[in-house]
Amino acid sequence: MSRRTPNTGGDASGGIVARYCPVKRISVKEIRQMYDVFHQYYAETDMDTFIRDLSRKQGVILIRTRKDPRVVGFSTIVSLDMEIGRLRSRGVFSGDTIIEREFWGTRKLQVAFLIYLLREKLRRPFRPLYWLLISKGYKTYLLMANNFHNYYPHPEQSNPELLPVVRHYCDAMFPGHYDPDRGVLDFGEGAQHLKGEVAAITDDLKQRVPKIRFFEECNPTWHEGTELPCVGQVNLSAVTAFIAKVFRGYVSSLRTSARSGVMSAEQGQ
């Protein structure tokens, strides 16, 4: 586990960059660095399984340091066509998503992923587009719950019409592992799962953040490796709201930096 000081200043991590990269263009060195990050935070992992899973993906959003480039996080991606009933749609599936603790709080992964979603939407502007996400822990769930209005499962039981999308992609991508009664993906004993000290859910956290409490209610065995499948509808309102949120965060970080600079100057007088 990384022992560096966590980044708690919002999107203040200007020393990193996030960009999409097709799997076939990822170097062996980068794959090793990706696994090193993954292994820090997940139990029941091995390099062979990691590489097999990566080979099934189309691309990865890589998060690298600017100086002495090193992979410090990533999110794997698969885009797929879906036909649910008579409706043809498109899904963008996020697989393993992890970032080193030092950079928790950055929005650069979300921005890079938004750009990917926009490109997918522009290719097929009249076809419904969904973000497909499975959550081993609450932080991944919050990526969707905090940035999308129309998503499922929802703490207020909203958007039940998205449940068929969840069932469709789970059956297509993980045949035999979706439990419709519990609404989770169960990969059995020995499944990869977050290490105990990573993203632990405390009583205080559940009380302060209702969405985290809801995540654990939906997936009470998350610490054993069961995953909560989620879906978010990608539309103009979702994209606009996210852009506004990123902009507000950017302005806030600039103000914080400015105040810090003033204080440093005053202290130096």
Side-chain angles (χ1 to χ4, degrees):
M1 175 63 66
S2 173
R3 298 301 180 188
R4 301 172 188 173
T5 303
N7 168 30
T8 57
D11 194 17
S13 49
I16 60 174
V17 61
R19 290 193 179 92
Y20 175 79
C21 182
V23 165
K24 61 184 179 181
R25 295 184 183 175
I26 302 174
S27 69
V28 172
K29 179 180 179 180
E30 288 170 333
I31 292 174
R32 288 174 177 166
Q33 291 176 344
M34 288 171 63
Y35 180 72
D36 286 344
V37 175
F38 189 76
H39 183 66
Q40 287 184 63
Y41 299 95
Y42 286 97
E44 304 293 341
T45 67
D46 62 79
M47 178 65 86
D48 289 342
T49 301
F50 182 80
I51 292 176
R52 279 199 306 271
D53 183 71
L54 181 63
S55 68
R56 300 188 187 104
K57 304 300 190 296
Q58 294 167 347
V60 180
I61 294 177
L62 289 177
I63 307 169
R64 303 183 183 93
T65 52
R66 291 182 182 274
K67 296 182 179 179
D68 187 24
R70 177 177 63 88
V71 175
V72 295
F74 63 89
S75 181
T76 60
I77 291 178
V78 174
S79 296
L80 63 151
D81 290 315
M82 302 187 295
E83 189 166 345
I84 305 170
R86 296 183 178 180
L87 181 64
R88 296 183 65 191
S89 57
R90 184 78 168 166
V92 175
F93 173 76
S94 292
D96 293 321
T97 300
I98 193 70
I99 185 169
E100 287 189 357
R101 184 183 294 269
E102 177 183 356
F103 303 102
W104 287 3
T106 181
R107 292 187 177 90
K108 293 190 177 179
L109 171 60
Q110 290 97 312
V111 171
F113 184 67
L114 175 65
I115 292 171
Y116 184 90
L117 287 177
L118 285 173
R119 288 174 177 169
E120 281 290 320
K121 187 63 177 176
L122 290 173
R123 289 190 182 104
R124 301 169 180 83
F126 302 108
R127 186 177 298 185
L129 179 64
Y130 300 103
W131 179 19
L132 316 175
L133 178 73
I134 58 177
S135 307
K136 286 186 174 77
Y138 77 84
K139 286 182 177 292
T140 307
Y141 174 72
L142 291 181
L143 285 175
M144 178 170 289
N146 287 343
N147 294 298
F148 276 66
H149 179 69
N150 297 326
Y151 66 93
Y152 182 91
H154 194 286
E156 298 177 3
Q157 309 305 315
S158 303
N159 312 307
E161 71 278 4
L162 295 177
L163 176 57
V165 181
V166 169
R167 290 177 172 171
H168 178 85
Y169 86 79
C170 285
D171 290 341
M173 300 186 69
F174 310 102
H177 292 290
Y178 180 65
D179 184 335
D181 295 328
R182 294 187 292 158
V184 299
L185 286 162
D186 191 342
F187 296 97
E189 293 184 11
Q192 293 177 350
H193 57 87
L194 287 165
K195 293 182 178 179
E197 70 273 23
V198 181
I201 298 178
T202 64
D203 290 338
D204 176 65
L205 194 59
K206 287 188 289 185
Q207 185 175 0
R208 289 188 293 106
V209 188
K211 288 177 181 177
I212 296 177
R213 181 176 66 247
F214 176 73
F215 168 79
E216 188 167 62
E217 290 171 353
C218 292
N219 187 16
T221 53
W222 62 270
H223 53 282
E224 298 174 6
T226 57
E227 305 211 32
L228 181 66
C230 311
V231 58
Q233 187 171 7
V234 182
N235 51 31
L236 181 60
S237 62
V239 171
T240 302
F242 181 76
I243 291 174
K245 184 175 182 179
V246 171
F247 179 76
R248 288 194 300 268
Y250 178 69
V251 171
S252 177
S253 66
L254 287 179
R255 289 174 177 171
T256 300
S257 297
R259 285 196 297 266
S260 297
V262 171
M263 290 177 62
S264 297
E266 290 176 347
Q267 291 171 356
Q269 291 177 352

